[in-house]
Amino acid sequence: MKKHFQVSLPQSLIDDLRLRLDHVRWPDTVEIMDWNYGTNLAYLQELMSYWQKDFDWRKQEQKLNQFNHFQASVAGQNIHFIHEQGNGPKPIPIVLTHGWPSTFYEMSKIIPLLTDPGAHGGDAADAFDVIVPSLPGYGFSDRPKEPGMTLRTISNLWTELMVDVLGYERFAAHGGDIGAGVTTHLGRYHPDRMIGIHVMAVAAPYLGPGTAPLTSAEQTYLNQVERWEQVEGAYDHQQSTKPQTLAYGLNDSPVGLAGWIIEKMRAWSDCSGNIERRFSKDELLTNLMIYWGTETINSSMRLYYDHKHFSKMDPAVHSIGVPAGVTLSVEPVNKAPKEWAERTYTNIQRWTELPRGGHFAAFEEPELLAEEIRAFFRPLREKM
């Protein structure tokens, strides 16, 4: 049973936030500093000043509440989700899954493009019923109290949400980052429920006995991933080993939280070093406020720990035969060769490399991504 939900944070929390921002103890920095050491001090001070003095959360709440929000108990977890009906002759249901350090807010620009394509330069026949859940431990979904919230577990939750709560016998799925992992597991463990899966990141394949040797393109890609991890991967190692230690500072300090997240928003987006080329201050802070107001930074990071320590590769079901679409952003670390993807997704029906747009493509380039999703699922509608 789903129940209506409205995004609303108490005024006392907003007042406390401003008080904390009024008593920041800033660290030092070197005289000439860009972003090489981490989050730029001057930019963060500018953003925090805006957060304290100019940012209007109530205005952002009004925008968020233009969508239809719900909560439902799914396998004992209270899950928050947006559910928007499609405007077209035969909308198909699609679940969109965000990643980290995003929230459901990342999907806000693409929702109307998928629910009402006819009003946005597309064909009404491509309409979807769009469901955007908040991952467990993110935003307005419950924070898991037990260890073991793996991507496979989340795929089970999404299937129960879509089938048992919302009544869709079969549905489509899309995701990037963590959401791509959840979407992959939907195809792997719930193929009978899937119309098709569309991902923006390719899952690591099974490379055990009986698999083909790596091609030169695959080895080049793995070398590229290794170099990326040396420069950008510290967050992953920390969050998958000792997230609780990090959480004390991030949950207590809005500046600490912003410093941790904003640096990733800049580094992973297609912004050429200028974060506000892709995200306005209001957009950056709306995402931060969802973490801050719900105190979910710790539970969001725990997904990395649970994935590392409780996930197991099952060789018997490593390949996925449901129709799959792959759209890759311009992130160098995301440029997997097709043969790498085909080790896992054995029925790839659409493969596209975007000309622009980074890790947060649904927010950075919603029109491009919406058209990719429409195009991939278009022939699958005809077979329903």
Side-chain angles (χ1 to χ4, degrees):
M1 180 74 69
K2 68 179 183 180
K3 59 183 179 181
H4 284 278
F5 175 81
Q6 189 170 45
V7 175
S8 180
L9 296 177
Q11 187 60 41
S12 59
L13 183 144
I14 297 172
D15 294 340
D16 175 73
L17 170 66
R18 287 175 175 153
L19 184 64
R20 290 170 187 258
L21 290 171
D22 200 35
H23 293 84
V24 179
R25 190 168 71 169
W26 293 101
D28 72 315
T29 187
V30 293
E31 289 186 9
I32 301 175
M33 178 190 177
D34 47 24
W35 291 76
N36 291 335
Y37 284 85
T39 305
N40 181 274
L41 176 62
Y43 180 75
L44 193 59
Q45 288 175 327
E46 176 187 327
L47 184 65
M48 294 302 94
S49 176
Y50 185 86
W51 200 359
Q52 182 186 35
K53 300 173 184 177
D54 301 306
F55 178 69
D56 187 345
W57 169 248
R58 297 303 180 202
K59 182 178 179 181
Q60 302 307 316
E61 277 185 343
Q62 291 177 355
K63 291 181 179 179
L64 292 174
N65 285 321
Q66 290 175 0
F67 296 110
N68 292 302
H69 294 260
F70 300 90
Q71 286 182 331
S73 178
V74 184
Q77 294 285 324
N78 197 37
I79 299 296
H80 158 259
F81 59 98
I82 291 171
H83 188 192
E84 291 291 324
Q85 301 289 336
N87 184 16
K90 193 178 178 182
I92 62 172
I94 186 169
V95 59
L96 310 179
T97 309
H98 66 85
W100 188 93
S102 296
T103 60
F104 70 92
Y105 177 58
E106 182 186 352
M107 302 299 177
S108 59
K109 293 181 179 180
I110 202 172
I111 292 173
L113 305 182
L114 295 177
T115 57
D116 195 4
H120 297 88
D123 187 340
D126 289 331
F128 294 85
D129 288 351
V130 175
I131 298 87
V132 182
S134 293
L135 287 165
Y138 285 64
F140 301 101
S141 286
D142 276 356
R143 289 169 282 186
K145 295 180 174 59
E146 301 292 334
M149 184 56 71
T150 65
L151 303 186
R152 180 177 180 179
T153 302
I154 297 171
S155 77
N156 296 340
L157 294 176
W158 277 197
T159 302
E160 184 172 332
L161 172 66
M162 296 295 286
V163 177
D164 297 338
V165 176
L166 300 180
Y168 296 115
E169 289 299 316
R170 297 179 70 232
F171 58 96
H174 160 81
D177 189 57
I178 291 173
V182 173
T183 301
T184 295
H185 282 314
L186 282 168
R188 176 174 284 129
Y189 296 109
H190 304 278
D192 57 324
R193 297 295 187 183
M194 303 312 301
I195 297 168
I197 59 173
H198 185 270
V199 296
M200 289 210 66
V202 174
Y206 173 70
L207 295 174
T211 57
L214 294 176
T215 67
S216 59
E218 288 176 310
Q219 188 59 62
T220 298
Y221 168 67
L222 290 180
N223 293 341
Q224 185 170 280
V225 170
E226 183 178 2
R227 290 192 298 270
W228 183 89
E229 288 177 346
Q230 290 296 319
V231 177
E232 292 289 338
Y235 84 98
D236 184 26
H237 190 66
Q238 178 69 30
Q239 292 181 179
S240 61
T241 55
K242 296 292 188 291
Q244 188 76 31
T245 302
L246 183 62
Y248 295 109
L250 303 191
N251 194 65
D252 187 61
S253 167
V255 174
L257 178 68
W260 190 247
I261 288 180
I262 294 301
E263 187 259 321
K264 299 308 175 193
M265 301 290 285
R266 174 187 176 273
W268 298 349
S269 63
D270 181 22
C271 71
S272 301
N274 178 9
I275 191 171
E276 292 190 21
R277 180 171 171 262
R278 285 298 185 179
F279 312 99
S280 69
K281 286 185 173 67
D282 282 344
E283 290 167 346
L284 292 170
L285 294 172
T286 296
N287 188 60
L288 282 172
M289 275 296 286
I290 294 170
Y291 279 103
W292 180 258
T294 59
E295 296 188 53
T296 50
I297 186 59
N298 189 25
S299 51
S300 77
M301 297 187 299
R302 273 203 304 270
L303 258 64
Y304 284 76
Y305 184 96
D306 287 355
H307 176 65
K308 180 180 179 67
H309 291 85
F310 297 100
S311 297
K312 295 180 180 179
M313 173 68 76
D314 185 351
V317 289
H318 70 272
S319 63
I320 299 169
V322 302
V326 179
T327 298
L328 299 181
S329 73
V330 301
E331 289 180 284
V333 72
N334 204 28
K335 293 293 188 183
K338 192 173 183 181
E339 59 262 40
W340 177 259
E342 288 173 332
R343 291 175 182 269
T344 300
Y345 313 93
T346 61
N347 187 11
I348 296 176
Q349 297 189 8
R350 187 175 178 89
W351 179 276
T352 305
E353 297 185 19
L354 294 179
R356 57 188 182 276
H359 186 80
F360 312 95
F363 206 88
E364 295 178 59
E365 293 290 344
E367 291 84 4
L368 286 180
L369 181 56
E371 181 49 40
E372 279 302 309
I373 294 173
R374 294 175 196 159
F376 167 64
F377 284 103
R378 194 171 294 136
L380 300 180
R381 292 172 183 270
E382 301 170 1
K383 300 176 183 179
M384 292 180 60

